[in-house]
Amino acid sequence: MLTSTQTVAHNMPLLKRLVDFIPVPVILYEFKDGTPSHLYLNKQFLAVIGYSLDEIPGINEWFDIAYPDPAYQKTIRQYWASQADKKQRTGSTFIESVQACVRCKDGSDRWFEIEAGEWTDTIGITTFMDIDDLIRQKQYLEQLNAVKDKLFSVISHDVRAPLASLQAILTLVESGDLSPEKLREVIPLLSQQLTHIFALFDNLFLWASKQLVTHKTPPIPFNMPDLIDQNIGLLQLVAQQKKITITTVRQTLLAVLADREMVDIIFRNILSNAIKFTPTGGTITIQYQQHGRMGHIEVLDTGIGISQETIGKIARREMLTSQPGTANEKGTGLGLVFCQETIEAIGGSLSITSAPGQGSRVGFSVPLVSSKN
């Protein structure tokens, strides 16, 4: 058995052949002046992680190349330092394993359970158990659960209100308390409510499916003013019920290159939010213009405004407490947080300028069709 440093050094060729039989990536290292210096990387390490001994001769080079994000690298370094101190205090041979995401040579990020310890007084071994599939599956299930929670939240609030309104109207019709003349008056409202519900479900399930699919939908060119007009038409009756005036300032024709369905969801959420938090008799102004290769769309309202604390939560993608609208409309707290995620996914950005009692200016940018296309 290899127990001494001298024996290990003398039998290094045999030792290399031995670790090549280990079915996981392995680094053999020795301590020089208290710093680990790599001696050998087994065949599985070269096959899975990919770096050569020349690229990672020591621990510092390994940290720099395997954990390129400075903040994440700092976290990993602190963990290993704390475990090394604990190992020294307890006199144990191996330190507790850590699950870490490693940047491999092919550019991929893979999760490993990493364990290190002493073979002799100066020779150590680090092993990498590939747990990438397990971690990815866990992350997917967590994402699936989050999507489910959001869907149930939206359905339980945004769908129940219009359905309750429809039920109330139909109850009046069934009981005979609604005359044919009054029924003709409310038919447009019934149609609008149903259209809203169908559109909401379409958007919800489209969003949920895109959250759970790893590939992106190829962007397509479309006319942004047409999309704006369609959504104004869809929400016009809701605005009219609150006597809110919606005005569009047509500054230029925007030919957008993006996932149209996602842009549709983004704009509808922002416009719905503006209507919800604008008091009766208020105004909403929609304007859009080109900034370089991006189109910028803004929705300005004379509503109750948004606090800086809430704007900060939106930027951090934190779930918000649902706030009732100026006509006691129900909500979910998902609207602008959802828009933040979706806009970034299509290569744009969200901007919010507001203060309580001073209205809001909510804008987003989207890529435009290049003039060369």
Side-chain angles (χ1 to χ4, degrees):
M1 182 176 180
L2 301 175
T3 57
S4 70
T5 302
Q6 184 177 6
T7 303
V8 171
H10 179 73
N11 291 280
M12 185 56 69
L14 178 61
L15 182 58
K16 290 179 180 179
R17 291 176 59 188
L18 177 63
V19 296
D20 277 337
F21 278 102
I22 299 177
V24 299
V26 171
I27 296 177
L28 286 180
Y29 61 89
E30 64 177 338
F31 286 97
K32 290 184 177 180
D33 300 324
T35 302
S37 177
H38 295 161
L39 292 172
Y40 186 66
L41 313 175
N42 75 340
K43 291 180 179 179
Q44 194 67 8
F45 185 96
L46 298 175
V48 176
I49 300 178
Y51 301 114
S52 67
L53 193 60
D54 290 337
E55 292 172 301
I56 50 170
I59 189 68
N60 289 323
E61 291 83 0
W62 165 250
F63 276 122
D64 288 338
I65 202 169
Y67 312 111
D69 179 73
Y72 188 61
Q73 182 184 136
K74 181 179 179 181
T75 300
I76 297 297
R77 284 183 178 272
Q78 289 175 341
Y79 176 85
W80 283 113
S82 66
Q83 290 303 313
D85 290 342
K86 180 179 179 180
K87 172 180 171 295
Q88 189 173 11
R89 292 195 311 270
T90 60
S92 60
T93 301
F94 281 79
I95 68 170
E96 294 181 14
S97 61
V98 60
Q99 293 182 353
C101 189
V102 171
R103 176 68 52 82
C104 298
K105 188 172 182 177
D106 63 4
S108 66
D109 294 318
R110 295 194 65 82
W111 284 89
F112 295 92
E113 184 160 344
I114 307 172
E115 190 172 12
E118 297 176 357
W119 200 322
T120 70
D121 291 341
T122 60
I123 302 295
I125 183 171
T126 302
T127 60
F128 299 79
M129 179 68 72
D130 193 334
I131 56 171
D132 193 71
D133 289 343
L134 181 64
I135 294 295
R136 302 293 180 189
Q137 184 181 35
K138 179 183 176 183
Q139 291 173 340
Y140 178 80
L141 292 174
E142 290 173 349
Q143 182 184 15
L144 182 65
N145 193 54
V147 170
K148 178 207 69 177
D149 290 343
K150 286 186 178 182
L151 279 173
F152 281 136
S153 179
V154 172
I155 290 171
S156 66
H157 291 84
D158 286 14
V159 177
R160 286 184 65 184
L163 285 178
S165 176
L166 290 174
Q167 185 182 34
I169 293 172
L170 292 174
T171 299
L172 290 174
V173 172
E174 187 179 25
S175 64
D177 293 332
L178 196 66
S179 67
E181 292 77 15
K182 287 291 184 182
L183 177 59
R184 281 193 291 270
E185 291 178 12
V186 300
I187 282 177
L189 176 60
L190 286 170
S191 176
Q192 189 72 22
Q193 294 276 35
L194 286 172
T195 300
H196 172 71
I197 293 172
F198 280 125
L200 178 61
F201 272 115
D202 285 343
N203 287 343
L204 280 173
F205 291 122
L206 172 66
W207 170 76
S209 65
K210 288 182 181 295
Q211 292 289 302
L212 301 175
V213 176
T214 56
H215 68 274
K216 294 183 178 181
T217 302
I220 60 171
F222 64 91
N223 187 2
M224 189 67 203
D226 288 347
L227 183 146
I228 291 173
D229 289 343
Q230 289 169 9
N231 280 282
I232 291 175
L234 179 64
L235 298 171
Q236 189 67 53
L237 186 57
V238 180
Q240 287 175 353
Q241 290 173 340
K242 297 178 71 174
K243 296 182 173 59
I244 294 172
T245 302
I246 301 178
T247 304
T248 302
V249 179
R250 301 179 180 276
Q251 296 171 309
T252 184
L253 183 66
L254 293 186
V256 172
L257 183 65
D259 184 334
R260 191 186 194 284
E261 293 171 324
M262 299 308 286
V263 176
D264 190 41
I265 295 173
I266 293 165
F267 180 74
R268 188 175 303 164
N269 268 278
I270 293 175
L271 182 57
S272 296
N273 217 52
I275 294 172
K276 175 182 175 182
F277 292 108
T278 297
T280 300
T283 61
I284 295 173
T285 303
I286 301 165
Q287 59 188 31
Y288 49 88
Q289 57 188 318
Q290 180 173 347
H291 292 296
R293 297 181 179 179
M294 303 293 286
H296 192 68
I297 299 91
E298 287 188 318
V299 178
L300 297 77
D301 66 58
T302 57
I304 61 177
I306 308 172
S307 69
Q308 291 302 307
E309 180 184 2
T310 300
I311 293 174
K313 289 182 177 180
I314 293 169
R316 295 189 297 272
R317 303 185 185 184
E318 295 180 14
M319 290 289 292
L320 304 179
T321 302
S322 176
Q323 299 292 327
T326 54
N328 204 34
E329 301 100 320
K330 299 295 185 181
T332 63
L334 296 176
L336 291 180
V337 176
F338 161 72
C339 288
Q340 173 88 1
E341 296 177 357
T342 312
I343 290 167
E344 292 178 359
I346 63 173
S349 60
L350 178 73
S351 62
I352 304 174
T353 304
S354 185
Q358 297 182 20
S360 301
R361 178 190 293 260
V362 180
F364 66 98
S365 59
V366 288
L368 297 177
V369 176
S370 172
S371 58
K372 297 181 181 179
N373 291 344

